[in-house]
Amino acid sequence: MSLKHFRFRDSTLLNLFKKGAETKPAQIVPIINAYPGRRFILIGDSGEQDPEVYAQMLKQFPKQIERICIRNVTAAKSSDARFSKVFAGIEPEKWILFDDPKTLELP
């Protein structure tokens, strides 16, 4: 699902250049609110702000976000300071940094 809305005919084209922290929460929150009985897995990558945005969503909706999966596109390690800070206070089994989608096991 695309989390940036844009059209070539108007100013929404500029949304392509906005950071994920500006656009993704506005797309994710209504989906979560629309389905209060469902649980979600958020999948993104380490290239931009997906870990930060998704960790905030998990903190905001702890009963609905089942897991966060971050594809490693930056040669990072799960023990790096970035992830330690972003996922501080979040149970380790709630998020994963993965390299190969074939190895990803989902609940």
Side-chain angles (χ1 to χ4, degrees):
M1 173 179 293
S2 175
L3 296 179
K4 290 187 181 182
H5 175 74
F6 72 92
R7 292 174 28 145
F8 288 108
R9 296 182 181 182
D10 58 33
S11 64
T12 60
L13 179 62
L14 298 176
N15 285 345
L16 283 176
F17 305 103
K18 289 183 178 178
K19 293 184 178 195
E22 295 177 61
T23 60
K24 289 185 180 184
Q27 300 295 320
I28 295 170
V29 170
I31 294 169
I32 293 172
N33 285 332
Y35 301 99
R38 292 194 181 171
R39 297 183 352 215
F40 298 87
I41 297 171
L42 303 179
I43 302 172
D45 65 60
S46 62
E48 293 184 16
Q49 297 172 318
D50 290 350
E52 291 79 3
V53 171
Y54 294 171
Q56 182 58 43
M57 293 292 100
L58 177 61
K59 290 173 184 174
Q60 189 174 349
F61 301 99
K63 293 183 180 180
Q64 287 179 268
I65 305 298
E66 179 69 26
R67 195 158 194 205
I68 297 171
C69 302
I70 302 295
R71 183 164 186 181
N72 192 1
V73 297
T74 58
K77 295 181 180 168
S78 59
S79 61
D80 288 353
R82 175 189 184 190
F83 299 112
S84 295
K85 180 181 176 184
V86 168
F87 294 109
I90 294 175
E91 300 167 6
E93 60 274 1
K94 284 287 202 177
W95 73 279
I96 186 169
L97 180 68
F98 69 96
D99 294 307
D100 184 354
K102 294 177 187 173
T103 65
L104 192 59
E105 294 181 25
L106 299 175

